[in-house]
């Protein structure tokens, strides 16, 4: 049976500071996709909103404060980023779904017909981390990779605490203690969205958090090889 992988790709990964790094990262990601497809694998990619989401939400916040409306602005940005990747993969003839699904059920059905499906956010109240967990659940994957811009989950925020320690192998309950369980505000970030943590626990989905700036880590995790990052066990 073909294995389906699901990856949440943090939106910040698409735009490294230096323009040359952007081209390099997108090129390496594209190679990885070709490789997955060549090996007969299936991949659902859920892309975050990154800079356009933050900018759009900040702009709208001048006038509106309703969090669902601000979330809709964020969702539009995730779909923009998803379209960028979808077109980049289509350009080299990959078997990518021609539409950007707006629900995980739709994405799951598209994955049965195509090698690659790229999507962004769905509904207000959570981030694309949670969407990736829901997609993993809906397409029968037992785990979900969260590729972000940090190397590990730390026991406390490493930007604030020098003594923060990286965690290598933890349970979903330990992760919930670190992230808390309160939903994030529109545009707010956390190493893993607390809503995603709750959904992963309910659906018994294991999570791998790794540094997506290094595509070789993503490659290793997809191949089932050892990778540097944090493994979070739900069962
Ligand atoms: P992201 O998934 O990009 O949030 O959603 P993030 O965790 O900050 O990820 P990075 O920075 O891209 O890695 C951006 C915003 O879009 C809205 C939320 O407001 C979120 O903060 N959103 C996204 C939703 O409301 N629902 C979704 O399904 C996805």
């Amino acid at each position: 049976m073909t294995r389906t992988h699901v990856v949440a790709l943090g939106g910040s990964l698409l735009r490294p500071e230096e323009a040359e790094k952007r081209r390099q990262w997108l090129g390496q990601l594209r190679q990885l996709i070709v490789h997955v497809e060549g090996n007969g694998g299936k991949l659902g990619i859920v892309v975050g909103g990154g800079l356009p989401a933050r900018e759009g939400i900040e702009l709208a916040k001048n006038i509106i404060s309703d969090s669902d409306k601000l979330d809709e602005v964020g969702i539009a940005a995730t779909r923009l980023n998803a379209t960028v990747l979808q077109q980049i993969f289509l350009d080299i003839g990959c078997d990518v779904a021609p539409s950007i699904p707006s629900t995980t059920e739709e994405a799951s059905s598209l994955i049965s017909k195509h090698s690659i499906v790229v999507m962004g956010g769905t509904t207000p109240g959570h981030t694309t981390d949670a969407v990736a967990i829901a997609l993993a659940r809906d397409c029968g994957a037992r785990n979900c990779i969260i590729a972000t811009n940090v190397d590990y989950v730390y026991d406390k925020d490493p930007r604030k605490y020098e003594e923060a320690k990286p965690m290598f192998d933890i349970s979903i309950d330990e992760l919930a203690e670190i992230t808390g369980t309160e939903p994030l505000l529109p545009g707010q970030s956390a190493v893993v969205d607390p809503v995603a943590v709750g959904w992963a626990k309910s659906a018994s989905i294991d999570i791998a958090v790794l540094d997506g700036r290094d595509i070789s880590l993503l490659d290793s995790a997809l191949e089932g090889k050892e990778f540097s990052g944090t493994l979070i066990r739900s069962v």
Side-chain angles (χ1 to χ4, degrees):
M1 206 179 100
T2 313
R3 255 195 95 188
T4 302
H5 298 279
V6 176
V7 177
L9 265 190
S12 64
L13 298 172
L14 272 67
R15 291 172 190 74
E17 294 283 308
E18 293 164 45
E20 186 45 39
K21 287 224 172 100
R22 292 179 198 167
R23 173 194 282 273
Q24 206 179 35
W25 186 84
L26 288 169
Q28 288 171 349
L29 180 69
R30 188 157 82 160
Q31 259 179 346
L32 175 77
I33 300 304
V34 171
H35 183 66
V36 168
E37 190 182 328
N39 286 342
K42 289 195 174 256
L43 183 60
I45 302 180
V46 185
V47 194
L51 190 63
R54 276 197 305 280
E55 272 183 1
I57 290 170
E58 280 311 310
L59 182 60
K61 260 190 187 166
N62 282 299
I63 301 291
I64 52 176
S65 56
D66 180 272
S67 67
D68 280 7
K69 293 193 173 77
L70 295 172
D71 278 345
E72 291 292 355
V73 174
I75 293 168
T78 64
R79 293 177 62 80
L80 165 72
N81 280 343
T83 308
V84 171
L85 292 188
Q86 178 212 32
Q87 292 302 317
I88 286 175
F89 303 152
L90 277 174
D91 183 58
I92 42 163
C94 290
D95 174 26
V96 186
S99 58
I100 304 289
S102 46
T103 65
T104 54
E105 292 84 0
E106 195 188 334
S108 169
S109 142
L110 284 168
I111 281 190
S112 61
K113 300 180 199 109
H114 299 275
S115 304
I116 316 289
V117 171
V118 190
M119 72 183 295
T122 52
T123 52
H126 48 75
T127 72
T128 44
D129 288 352
V131 176
I133 298 291
L135 179 57
R137 178 199 61 210
D138 292 351
C139 62
R142 285 195 311 274
N143 48 51
C144 176
I145 298 170
I146 296 188
T148 180
N149 58 4
V150 292
D151 50 2
Y152 295 98
V153 172
Y154 285 77
D155 61 346
K156 45 183 136 167
D157 189 344
R159 288 166 305 185
K160 290 192 202 146
Y161 303 95
E162 248 178 51
E163 73 280 14
K165 289 193 197 68
M167 318 287 278
F168 303 108
D169 193 335
I170 57 175
S171 71
I172 195 81
D173 291 328
E174 286 173 291
L175 180 63
E177 273 172 38
I178 294 167
T179 61
T181 49
E182 279 297 303
L184 300 169
L185 297 171
Q188 197 185 6
S189 251
V191 62
V192 181
D193 175 359
V195 173
V197 178
W199 290 2
K201 183 174 160 120
S202 310
S204 302
I205 304 279
D206 291 340
I207 305 174
V209 172
L210 54 81
D211 191 340
R213 290 169 294 189
D214 181 350
I215 293 287
S216 73
L217 298 180
L218 186 53
D219 194 17
S220 299
L222 286 170
E223 294 262 327
K225 295 185 193 149
E226 263 195 42
F227 62 92
S228 341
T230 305
L231 185 64
I232 298 124
R233 297 176 196 273
S234 286
V235 277

